[in-house]
Amino acid sequence: MTLPAQRPGQAPGRELADPAFWQAPPAHRLAAFARLRALDSPVFVPEGTGHWALVRHADVQEASRLPKVFASAPGVTTPEPARWVRALFGDSMVNLDGAEHAQLRKIVQRAFTPRLLAAAEEDIHAVAARIVDEVLDRRPDEFVEAVASKLPLEVICNMMGIPERYRAEIADRVNHASENIGVERGLTARLRMPGRGLRALARMQRMVAGIGRERREHPTDDLISALVCANVDGEALGARQLGAFFSLLMVAGVETTRNAITHGLTLLTDHPDQRDLLTGDFEAYADGAVDEMIRHSTPIIQFRRTVVAEHTLRGHTFAPGDKVVLYYASANRDEDVFPDPDAFDITRSPNPHLGFGGGGPHFCLGAHLARVEMKALFRELLTRPVGLRAVGLPDLAGSSFDNRVRSLRFAFDQPWAAPVGPECGPATEQAGSPAAGAGPAARADA
């Protein structure tokens, strides 16, 4: 692969617009972000209509906490959703601002009752234990499908009250729904993949709308019932709002957690000293390990904002209509905030990572749930009397939006220590390495 290195005289940030940049080894991308963080002001990225890149921790936080300046509407993803898509499918909560966002978030938060959350946490532990039991019994060799995807999908479906007969289809639709978000592709893919993603969303939303109608007539003790029967200032979720929330919960809740879990296994394999520390006293280090996995992998690489009021940030004045992208993946490696930022250190404290956003009204609703899921699963994986480790390199999607892992091979009853030898080059030389500058990510197959 020819890497999109910055050429002499080239405008800073131009390489972020090159699809090849997002398919290059993570070490290359992290080095580019480090160069951008060292500049005195934000840089312009000529992608489509162009956007300004916010790459420092403080800048991402400031923009996140000023929604009256940096708005989420008309959309936080790249490309932004077309008006007809928003009209047809409804606006996702992440794309709303002001009173409209606050009201919808209030309805959703009210539905997450202490009783529902307690039941969800109990379910998480049971599901994690059963998944690991099945894995140890069947001994599969692919981690994403066998382990990482199963836990968040099943937990969310249980919490929502989704009948079993729909779940295999939902898992397939979740994958299709997120395929067209991220880097630019060829013309054929750009025409085909958005249509496939929209069809997946439409089917999911029709399905959950039907369940919502049933729950209004015959409510049960699940989240869909709570959402459609909620009464916050005289309002509950309508069919389109329920569908939009369900799509957000499935795509964001399942995708991000499964990727964090998968990267977590890779990181523990590449850093046996950290794995030994964690297994030696799991309860003492688990919370720190989960947050460090999220910081290091940053499952959501970036979100977009639209400037709606003039504002000066770090010497640059943004004008209404400007597009700004918050690069969480860069902010989570900011040297001014994280000493030795490329190191994987489960004892890192404080760890103010932006893996769940930079604060403000759009801070991730599922942050607590994701942490509980990851902690429960790694407790089961690491406290059983069997060696488990990643094998080879993860197959990364090469997206500019999420740090998605398509697949990862893994093995049992093997030493945790990464192999040594001339065939195992350093992570910084491996295309697709999950943790640039953070240890020996290249592993021999077993």
Side-chain angles (χ1 to χ4, degrees):
M1 175 186 293
T2 300
L3 300 182
Q6 185 174 333
R7 297 184 297 275
Q10 184 181 36
R14 180 172 291 275
E15 59 188 323
L16 301 186
D18 189 337
F21 175 81
W22 300 101
Q23 298 167 10
H28 177 85
R29 299 199 300 271
L30 294 177
F33 279 125
R35 291 195 300 271
L36 295 180
R37 288 194 299 272
L39 300 176
D40 293 331
S41 63
V43 298
F44 187 73
V45 180
E47 173 196 30
T49 57
H51 70 260
W52 293 91
L54 299 188
V55 295
R56 288 187 179 181
H57 190 280
D59 296 347
V60 171
Q61 273 198 323
E62 181 173 339
S64 299
R65 296 175 182 184
L66 292 174
K68 293 183 179 180
V69 175
F70 300 95
S72 295
V76 300
T77 57
T78 302
E80 296 172 353
R83 288 186 179 182
W84 69 267
V85 172
R86 298 169 63 195
L88 182 62
F89 293 99
D91 265 320
S92 174
M93 190 159 53
V94 295
N95 296 330
L96 297 176
D97 298 295
E100 191 177 8
H101 172 263
Q103 179 69 3
L104 183 55
R105 190 172 176 111
K106 186 187 297 183
I107 293 172
V108 171
Q109 286 178 316
R110 187 75 59 87
F112 281 91
T113 63
R115 179 180 177 184
L116 187 146
L117 290 174
E121 290 201 22
E122 184 176 344
D123 184 55
I124 287 169
H125 294 289
V127 172
R130 181 173 51 74
I131 287 173
V132 176
D133 285 342
E134 292 174 356
V135 164
L136 295 179
D137 180 55
R138 298 176 184 176
R139 299 297 174 104
D141 64 0
E142 200 288 303
F143 187 75
V144 175
E145 182 177 354
V147 181
S149 292
K150 277 190 174 182
L151 178 65
L153 179 68
E154 187 162 341
V155 166
I156 291 176
C157 284
N158 289 348
M159 186 169 59
M160 293 287 288
I162 303 297
E164 188 68 38
R165 65 184 180 274
Y166 294 124
R167 298 190 181 188
E169 180 181 356
I170 286 174
D172 183 60
R173 301 302 170 208
V174 166
N175 285 330
H176 290 324
S178 59
E179 280 183 335
N180 65 310
I181 301 173
V183 298
E184 290 292 327
R185 299 177 172 88
L187 177 61
T188 301
R190 291 203 303 271
L191 292 175
R192 182 183 73 248
M193 296 182 73
R196 184 163 58 180
L198 292 176
R199 287 195 299 272
L201 284 175
R203 289 171 180 168
M204 282 199 297
Q205 293 199 8
R206 284 198 300 269
M207 178 199 66
V208 77
I211 298 173
R213 288 192 294 270
E214 294 175 6
R215 296 293 193 269
R216 286 189 183 95
E217 296 295 327
H218 306 286
T220 57
D221 192 18
D222 58 42
L223 184 54
I224 289 181
S225 297
L227 290 170
V228 299
C229 298
N231 191 327
V232 178
D233 299 333
E235 294 187 31
L237 291 192
R240 284 200 312 161
Q241 289 176 319
L242 177 63
F245 174 71
F246 179 71
S247 299
L248 172 65
L249 191 61
M250 295 307 299
V251 174
V254 173
E255 284 273 314
T256 57
T257 305
R258 85 168 190 181
N259 292 331
I261 289 169
T262 307
H263 284 292
L265 178 64
T266 302
L267 287 164
L268 291 177
T269 302
D270 290 343
H271 299 84
D273 59 323
Q274 298 296 296
R275 188 272 311 171
D276 289 344
L277 189 63
L278 180 57
T279 55
D281 192 342
F282 185 86
E283 296 306 324
Y285 294 106
D287 290 336
V290 165
D291 274 319
E292 183 68 345
M293 290 173 188
I294 293 169
R295 181 195 74 85
H296 213 277
S297 63
T298 312
I300 296 295
I301 294 171
Q302 50 100 338
F303 267 160
R304 180 177 290 229
R305 296 287 190 266
T306 298
V307 178
V308 293
E310 185 175 292
H311 182 77
T312 299
L313 187 155
R314 201 154 55 87
H316 176 79
T317 299
F318 294 99
D322 285 350
K323 301 297 183 181
V324 172
V325 171
L326 317 182
Y327 283 98
Y328 306 114
S330 175
N332 280 343
R333 301 295 181 106
D334 192 331
E335 303 82 354
D336 291 340
V337 178
F338 305 101
D340 196 6
D342 292 333
F344 176 65
D345 179 7
I346 67 172
T347 68
R348 187 182 297 276
S349 180
N351 190 352
H353 67 80
L354 306 184
F356 295 116
H362 283 280
F363 185 79
C364 179
L365 269 172
H368 175 71
L369 189 68
R371 285 185 170 109
V372 173
E373 288 176 345
M374 291 180 66
K375 186 174 177 180
L377 184 59
F378 279 106
R379 179 186 290 108
E380 296 293 336
L381 290 173
L382 297 179
T383 58
R384 303 293 185 96
V386 60
L388 186 151
R389 64 179 176 92
V391 176
L393 296 172
D395 178 17
L396 301 179
S399 170
S400 64
F401 176 70
D402 63 347
N403 197 5
R404 186 180 184 188
V405 185
R406 294 191 186 99
S407 64
L408 175 69
R409 290 182 58 211
F410 73 121
F412 304 88
D413 299 322
Q414 298 287 344
W416 273 90
V420 295
E423 72 277 14
C424 301
T428 54
E429 298 298 324
Q430 294 291 326
S433 165
R443 293 176 294 277
D445 289 352

